[in-house]
Amino acid sequence: MINHWCYEIEPWCLRETELDLDVLAQSESVFTLSNGHIGWRANLDEGDPHGIPGSYLNGVHELRPLPYAEAGYGYPQDDQVMINVTNGKVIRLLVDDEPFDLRYGELHSHERTLDFRTGLLRRDLEWSSPSHQRVRVTSTRMVSMVQRSVAAIRYEVEAVGQPVHIVVQSELVANEPLPTSSDDPRESWVLEAPWQAELHDHEGARCALVHRTTLSQLMVAAAMDHVFEGPPSVNLASESRDNLGRVTITVALEPGERLVLDKFVTYGWSSERTRDALRDQVDAALSSALVKGWDGLVAEQREFFDDFWARADVEVDGDPEIQQAVRFSLFHVLQAGARAERRGIGAKGLTGTGYDGHTFWDTETFVLPVLTYSAPSTVADALAWRHSTLAIAEERARVLGFAGAAFPWRTITGAECSGYWPAGTAAFHVNADVADAVIRYLNATDDRSFESNFGLEILVSTARLWTSLGHYDRQGGFCIDGVTGPDEYSAIADNNLYTNLMAQCNLTGAADVAERNPERAHEFGVDEDEIAAWRHVADAMVVRFDEEHGVHEQAERFTSHQRWDFAATTAEQYPLLLHFPYFDLYRKQVVKQADLVLAMYRCGDSFSAEEKAANFAYYEALTVRDSSLSACIQSVVAAEVGQLDLAYDYLAEAALIDLGDLQHNTRDGLHIASLAGTWIALVGGLACMRERSGSLAFAPRLPNGITRLAFGIVFRGRRLRVETTPRATTYSLTAGAPLELFHFGEPFSLSEGGPVVFETRPVEESLPTMPRPTQPFGRAPARRLATKPDQLEGT
């Protein structure tokens, strides 16, 4: 576990006041800088010691054959694995010929600060060499949100107390050795030395390396250049070879004198462009960065983040830890998608190689909702990437014997990479999740150009999948059999409720968009009969209800299965998938992650308030949260059914998953979907924001311990701000045309003329009082209020 004592709780930054080498890999993840195109883990400048070296480019991968003891028709043949690219972070320091290494000499102080407002990672330290030569080092690192291909470091060394002779070696390093992998399937498979050298050169303070992968045949170019200032005695030399470019700076410093080095690093990659073209590309990016200079890059970075926070900030009063966590979460979600630009957003973003860097349904269901209402242009790019993979998805559907498109369970390029078909191929709900993200984006932006050029074709292809995948039963109901829903502990089930309801929304949405774009729909072969068929299937979709238990069934006959023996399961046996066979999990009532509960959030109009409360209580007793995707959704529905304290508990679990290393695998990268879930739990849960008839509806309530919640939303070209306290909720339009919203079902108009204020309704006014649901033995979330007695008084 990450020790909380080394992280200060501050509203706008994450500050590490001591360096703990035992959790170095975790800290490398949480302090990662990225722009969605470049990802730099927070390895120490000097390279050693390190947990997991990490420099990534979105989409850069190597192939790995998938071994099968018994292969079958339609099985994917290759995996795609995100790999470490050329490392441009390394700046080694020698003090009077002794290498700066935190494990030797004496470290007097060490502090790292990630500033959410500027996007800068700053490191301040003082160190004495074994021969007692003391230096002060300040390093400030950035990955530019504006210059997509640029990252930069300002590195400063100051002599303290006596003269020193220093050598600084700034490097580009390829084919770094990596730690070995474990048996945990959530970790990345390590590929040793995946790069073949194509070119290396150097001139003055500039070096460049070009490499190609062996199997995927992707070419990557990296270049660096430097600007420095210091005493006149500074000497510079450069060199390069296959896997190394190095610029060496030598200088003597008197006490108080400093060497200031600005290092600019640029990247480019392609599967088609030539070596020379890539080299020219990174040189041009370097030239642009040098013209801007360090100060110019920092200024435009701050302007970028100022604009983001002005429209998207979330304020939480009463719980400083959650306040810090939600900004930490928004910062990393933005980093994951800001400049991804028609590439996938992986489950770990570009913070580590957990899950091999693959993109899952997490993106559309958890990450894109946040970006839709805060940075919508990034969502258009993410969905345009899905559209670019349609041909692969359509071929996959054809191989499986279906019409339309079958999007992959896990992928980098669009090809299916899951070798375990019950959790991969059978999880057809990913197609509805993609469609749901398209529909949400269109409702939130009214982007008709995207609708015509990208959205319609995605919706048509996914709708066609459902009509060919399902069938009508004898009673005329439409059934979808043999699929796996979000709960991966219940595979190959008939009529998974989440899948059926999301398919229903997909079909209806496709019909609506096709009718709005008849000529464009005709180009895809859509006619009135097909649209009518989609609507008929949607109307006939089977939804199973268990009258005996008074709840909906997660899937056909699920509530009649034997319950898992939770009392006999020890804390050390979670997550269950690492200690029990899937065969046993599949045939028991045990839920890995919110499934039917997620359906109640995404398809809430399909349930009454009473059904939601009964369903939530029943499935709470079965859900073990072996997935990081669960807590935020349980928080949302807990809030909706009036369990505000429980919603608070789950909110904290989602928010602190990486700051507290709650799943013990933050070292492999951040849980981007759970971090996005922090926003979902606050805005979708406590504020109860829902899409409604082309508008937004709210029903805010706060738990004890949170005294105020305020957040910004971007919607159809407007910017609005919602602020709620235990006494009142205030809606303000900060930019854009008047807008109609709903407050507890009551419509009202909002304009820039002034805010609209409502009294906050108490829970008991609209919801029946219900006892707190129970969870499986040993799996209840940590009680948030029990650890915060100082904040209960006066709330």
Side-chain angles (χ1 to χ4, degrees):
M1 302 269 300
I2 289 180
N3 297 316
H4 284 272
W5 54 262
C6 68
Y7 290 153
E8 298 292 323
I9 297 176
E10 302 179 47
W12 280 106
C13 70
L14 183 68
R15 190 185 310 274
E16 179 188 62
T17 55
E18 295 183 34
L19 188 66
D20 185 347
L21 297 183
D22 291 335
V23 292
L24 190 56
Q26 290 93 323
S27 291
E28 290 168 353
S29 293
V30 301
F31 286 113
T32 292
L33 294 180
S34 171
N35 62 10
H37 176 61
I38 301 169
W40 270 6
R41 281 175 64 86
N43 307 115
L44 302 179
D45 303 280
E46 57 274 16
D48 293 306
H50 62 253
I52 302 174
S55 302
Y56 312 114
L57 292 176
N58 194 346
V60 173
H61 66 282
E62 183 57 300
L63 300 177
R64 178 174 64 91
L66 287 171
Y68 296 103
E70 297 182 23
Y73 175 78
Y75 282 19
Q77 297 303 305
D78 294 304
D79 191 8
Q80 300 163 357
V81 182
M82 184 170 78
I83 52 176
N84 201 24
V85 301
T86 307
N87 183 1
K89 294 170 290 187
V90 178
I91 302 178
R92 304 190 194 278
L93 172 65
L94 290 88
V95 179
D96 284 352
D97 295 329
E98 293 186 283
F100 167 48
D101 189 318
L102 297 175
R103 295 165 294 188
Y104 304 97
E106 182 179 358
L107 184 63
H108 303 284
S109 64
H110 192 282
E111 181 172 288
R112 287 192 288 181
T113 305
L114 178 62
D115 190 328
F116 309 143
R117 290 171 295 191
T118 63
L120 301 180
L121 174 62
R122 182 181 171 98
R123 181 188 184 201
D124 295 280
L125 64 93
E126 284 198 22
W127 175 80
S128 291
S129 70
S131 58
H132 310 294
Q133 302 284 41
R134 187 161 177 163
V135 292
R136 180 178 297 119
V137 178
T138 300
S139 170
T140 308
R141 184 183 294 181
M142 69 178 299
V143 173
S144 176
M145 292 289 187
V146 180
Q147 310 288 329
R148 179 174 183 255
S149 301
V150 175
I153 303 171
R154 169 162 283 184
Y155 191 82
E156 305 171 68
V157 185
E158 179 183 345
V160 178
Q162 56 188 321
V164 296
H165 183 269
I166 69 166
V167 178
V168 174
Q169 297 174 315
S170 176
E171 298 181 348
L172 291 175
V173 185
N175 283 320
E176 291 177 285
L178 300 175
T180 57
S181 62
S182 76
D183 294 330
D184 187 337
R186 298 169 295 180
E187 285 194 27
S188 170
W189 286 83
V190 174
L191 298 174
E192 295 184 4
W195 296 104
Q196 298 177 356
E198 291 277 331
L199 177 150
H200 64 84
D201 65 17
H202 61 277
E203 181 179 1
R206 182 176 293 203
C207 294
L209 300 177
V210 181
H211 288 79
R212 184 189 297 273
T213 56
T214 303
L215 299 178
S216 60
Q217 289 293 290
L218 303 180
M219 194 178 294
V220 169
M224 66 177 179
D225 206 341
H226 304 79
V227 175
F228 58 90
E229 60 179 79
S233 59
V234 171
N235 181 65
L236 180 144
S238 60
E239 61 182 305
S240 65
R241 47 185 183 267
D242 281 355
N243 292 321
L244 177 69
R246 176 185 291 152
V247 171
T248 301
I249 299 171
T250 307
V251 65
L253 296 178
E254 295 296 323
E257 283 190 321
R258 293 188 307 159
L259 172 70
V260 179
L261 174 69
D262 291 340
K263 178 178 184 177
F264 303 93
V265 183
T266 58
Y267 292 95
W269 75 270
S270 177
S271 60
E272 298 176 347
R273 302 184 69 201
T274 65
R275 181 189 68 184
D276 291 342
L278 277 178
R279 171 60 200 273
D280 291 346
Q281 176 184 331
V282 295
D283 277 348
L286 267 182
S287 298
S288 176
L290 288 167
V291 169
K292 287 280 185 181
W294 172 262
D295 291 338
L297 291 175
V298 168
E300 64 185 15
Q301 185 91 332
R302 179 61 189 254
E303 184 179 351
F304 178 94
F305 276 103
D306 282 347
D307 181 60
F308 174 74
W309 292 116
R311 65 179 183 268
D313 187 27
V314 176
E315 300 173 62
V316 181
D317 290 355
D319 192 329
E321 192 173 26
I322 296 298
Q323 174 65 87
Q324 179 188 49
V326 68
R327 287 184 176 135
F328 171 83
S329 299
L330 282 168
F331 177 82
H332 277 293
V333 169
L334 178 67
Q335 286 201 135
R339 302 303 302 272
E341 295 177 5
R342 304 198 180 186
R343 297 288 175 190
I345 300 175
K348 300 290 187 180
L350 296 176
T351 67
T353 55
Y355 296 110
D356 291 327
H358 290 161
T359 296
F360 295 77
W361 68 295
D362 308 20
T363 298
E364 283 78 17
T365 303
F366 297 87
V367 178
L368 295 193
V370 181
L371 295 175
T372 295
Y373 299 110
S374 60
S377 64
T378 66
V379 178
D381 278 338
L383 294 174
W385 168 73
R386 282 290 191 187
H387 181 270
S388 74
T389 69
L390 258 179
I392 301 173
E394 289 170 345
E395 174 59 19
R396 180 66 174 159
R398 188 196 64 76
V399 168
L400 297 173
F402 303 121
F407 284 109
W409 171 244
R410 56 191 301 170
T411 190
I412 291 177
T413 67
E416 179 62 77
C417 291
S418 174
Y420 184 63
W421 67 268
T425 298
F428 286 100
H429 68 83
V430 67
N431 300 282
D433 300 322
V434 173
D436 183 50
V438 170
I439 294 167
R440 182 191 308 109
Y441 173 76
L442 294 176
N443 286 341
T445 64
D446 200 27
D447 186 343
R448 294 307 173 92
S449 175
F450 178 89
E451 178 177 275
S452 175
N453 293 320
F454 301 102
L456 174 62
E457 190 174 8
I458 292 174
L459 293 174
V460 167
S461 296
T462 48
R464 285 172 172 165
L465 174 80
W466 301 116
T467 57
S468 64
L469 180 62
H471 67 96
Y472 288 99
D473 62 17
R474 294 177 182 177
Q475 291 74 42
F478 193 83
C479 301
I480 302 175
D481 296 336
V483 299
T484 301
D487 173 26
E488 296 158 39
Y489 287 170
S490 303
I492 321 303
D494 296 343
N495 292 313
N496 170 256
L497 186 73
Y498 175 83
T499 302
N500 283 17
L501 289 180
M502 291 293 286
Q504 184 181 62
C505 295
N506 187 169
L507 290 158
T508 302
D512 291 343
V513 173
E515 287 175 344
R516 283 203 300 268
N517 300 270
E519 293 183 4
R520 183 72 169 139
H522 182 71
E523 295 177 19
F524 301 124
V526 179
D527 56 24
E528 292 181 359
D529 289 342
E530 185 170 23
I531 293 173
W534 292 341
R535 293 197 185 279
H536 189 271
V537 168
D539 291 341
M541 194 67 68
V542 164
V543 175
R544 300 299 190 198
F545 189 82
D546 181 347
E547 298 289 349
E548 179 182 352
H549 293 92
V551 297
H552 286 86
E553 292 189 300
Q554 178 174 289
E556 199 92 34
R557 297 178 297 279
F558 178 83
T559 54
S560 65
H561 291 173
Q562 180 184 357
R563 287 203 172 204
W564 186 266
D565 190 350
F566 297 108
T569 306
T570 66
E572 292 72 28
Q573 290 176 303
Y574 292 97
L576 299 179
L577 78 161
L578 298 184
H579 300 92
F580 297 94
Y582 274 117
F583 166 74
D584 205 23
L585 294 169
Y586 288 166
R587 64 197 189 97
K588 301 285 179 64
Q589 285 193 67
V590 56
V591 179
K592 179 182 181 182
Q593 64 202 70
D595 187 309
L596 185 142
V597 172
L598 177 59
M600 292 195 296
Y601 170 45
R602 292 305 314 145
C603 308
D605 291 343
S606 297
F607 307 87
S608 68
E610 293 75 18
E611 288 171 341
K612 288 178 182 178
N615 286 340
F616 182 71
Y618 185 89
Y619 287 95
E620 271 292 283
L622 305 175
T623 304
V624 295
R625 298 193 320 289
D626 281 351
S627 166
S628 63
L629 304 181
S630 197
C632 66
I633 300 303
Q634 289 171 273
S635 178
V636 167
V637 180
E640 187 173 358
V641 301
Q643 298 289 341
L644 293 179
D645 289 347
L646 182 57
Y648 192 10
D649 297 342
Y650 282 133
L651 159 64
E653 185 171 303
L656 301 175
I657 189 167
D658 289 313
L659 292 176
D661 194 17
L662 301 184
Q663 292 213 340
H664 312 294
N665 60 359
T666 294
R667 69 188 308 273
D668 303 313
L670 302 181
H671 299 77
I672 300 298
S674 183
L675 297 183
T678 308
W679 183 95
I680 292 171
L682 288 165
V683 177
L686 300 186
C688 201
M689 187 183 87
R690 300 290 185 272
E691 304 142 19
R692 178 174 176 180
S693 303
S695 185
L696 296 176
F698 301 87
R701 303 184 186 90
L702 298 180
N704 291 326
I706 293 181
T707 58
R708 174 178 166 270
L709 171 64
F711 55 91
I713 292 290
V714 177
F715 186 75
R716 297 201 169 194
R718 288 90 158 178
R719 291 190 181 187
L720 59 143
R721 194 81 179 157
V722 181
E723 178 179 352
T724 188
T725 69
R727 294 184 178 181
T729 299
T730 303
Y731 300 91
S732 304
L733 188 66
T734 59
L739 178 68
E740 184 172 270
L741 302 172
F742 295 85
H743 178 81
F744 282 94
E746 178 183 344
F748 67 97
S749 293
L750 188 64
S751 69
E752 289 189 81
V756 176
V757 182
F758 294 90
E759 289 187 6
T760 299
R761 297 187 183 185
V763 174
E764 57 272 14
E765 184 176 308
S766 54
L767 292 171
T769 301
M770 301 284 288
R772 181 182 171 107
T774 59
Q775 291 76 35
F777 178 75
R779 302 304 287 171
R783 296 298 292 268
R784 189 67 182 166
L785 289 177
T787 63
K788 302 174 66 57
D790 57 310
Q791 294 176 17
L792 294 180
E793 185 177 351
T795 59

